[in-house]
Amino acid sequence: MVAFYGTELSSRLMLGTAQYPSPAVLAEAFRRSGAGIATLSLRREAGGDQAGADFWALVRDLGVRVLPNTAGCHSAREAVTTAQMARELFGTPWIKLEVIGHADTLQPDPFALVEAARILTDDGFQVFPYTTEDVVLADRLLAAGCEVLMPWGAPIGTGLGLTNIYGLRTLRAQFPDVPMVVDAGLGLPSQAAMAMEMGFDAVLLNTAVARAGDPAAMAEGFAKAVAAGRLAHEADPMEPRDMAAPSTPVIGRAFL
């Protein structure tokens, strides 16, 4: 079990809802993944028109917790307004906070991110900030009221995996009791397993599943990798060595 803002979930896998070839494929991917959270963008799916209403009905039928996000926002004010609209539409205080600062890498704007996080937490939101692996920025977000951090593995949609393992390990070690979700940039189940082995609490991905040749199979693969990685972390794995060590002892062997 994993808990965010006091809510326990049985799955440590979160999935996005964009880019799937069809609603049926999206539903099957969620079914086979067992994902406990679905992220969705208010900017992409308006609640008032028929298409938006149909999409929202599909998401409700998935039977998972909804995490609206502020994808595509480029200022604190824009993100706050989008979050307030999402709370009204989806009826949840949860919000994945994205404030983009760089058009090519989609890297968060750290200054606007902290500003928006403080405004939203003061307004009763439970904020999941999409951030980098920067320890100082993480500290500022926690001071602003965030109780969860969502550091990127790599830029959104790249599939590059964990591009700064040192930074992620440092972040995890610096705040051992803070729930953390590796968000963005994962392309393969093995990369998700690595994040879980490092002690992260969950992973969030979208493109790697939605754009796969068989999204449902890929979703199931990620689910199994997340479970395996978490199990390995809890098993207290051996430390790596620079030199070989025989697995079979030589004491007691016969000398010929």
Side-chain angles (χ1 to χ4, degrees):
M1 301 287 287
V2 62
F4 301 111
Y5 289 104
T7 298
E8 291 190 344
L9 300 165
S10 59
S11 174
R12 295 176 182 271
L13 177 62
M14 307 178 183
L15 284 182
T17 54
Q19 305 184 61
Y20 289 85
S22 71
V25 171
L26 185 156
E28 180 65 7
F30 269 84
R31 185 189 69 79
R32 289 180 60 176
S33 73
I37 291 178
T39 63
L40 67 164
S41 171
L42 179 67
R43 299 172 66 87
R44 189 184 67 255
E45 300 295 344
D49 60 22
Q50 185 60 45
D54 290 345
F55 179 80
W56 179 216
L58 170 65
V59 172
R60 283 199 304 267
D61 289 343
L62 295 176
V64 299
R65 182 90 185 206
V66 172
L67 177 61
N69 69 42
T70 61
C73 292
H74 292 264
S75 70
R77 180 177 180 180
E78 187 181 13
V80 168
T81 300
T82 302
Q84 291 169 339
M85 293 170 62
R87 180 170 59 182
E88 181 177 346
L89 179 61
F90 301 118
T92 176
W94 280 16
I95 193 72
K96 179 188 170 187
L97 178 61
E98 296 183 27
V99 187
I100 301 303
H102 191 270
D104 292 333
T105 63
L106 301 181
Q107 180 170 328
D109 179 333
F111 310 103
L113 184 64
V114 172
E115 179 186 355
R118 182 174 293 109
I119 294 171
L120 290 172
T121 53
D122 287 346
D123 192 26
F125 282 88
Q126 296 173 333
V127 180
F128 294 68
Y130 166 64
T131 182
T132 65
E133 68 279 9
D134 187 290
V135 172
V136 177
L137 176 54
D139 190 52
R140 297 293 188 273
L141 289 167
L142 295 173
C146 299
E147 297 180 16
V148 177
L149 297 174
M150 303 185 77
W152 66 354
I156 295 171
T158 61
L160 292 173
L162 309 181
T163 57
N164 185 359
I165 292 176
Y166 168 79
L168 288 169
R169 288 191 188 278
T170 301
L171 181 66
R172 178 70 282 181
Q174 188 69 31
F175 305 102
D177 299 323
V178 176
M180 292 190 193
V181 182
V182 173
D183 174 20
L186 299 180
L188 292 170
S190 58
Q191 297 161 357
M194 180 181 295
M196 300 305 296
E197 289 168 2
M198 291 165 60
F200 286 91
D201 298 279
V203 298
L204 193 162
L205 54 119
N206 188 161
T207 308
V209 167
R211 305 293 289 186
D214 186 339
M218 185 63 79
E220 183 178 348
F222 268 100
K224 291 178 177 179
V226 167
R230 182 64 188 184
L231 189 61
H233 172 72
E234 293 175 345
D236 190 16
M238 63 173 285
E239 293 291 332
R241 297 169 53 96
D242 291 330
M243 301 295 291
S247 57
T248 302
V250 296
I251 297 176
R253 290 179 57 192
F255 288 91
L256 303 177

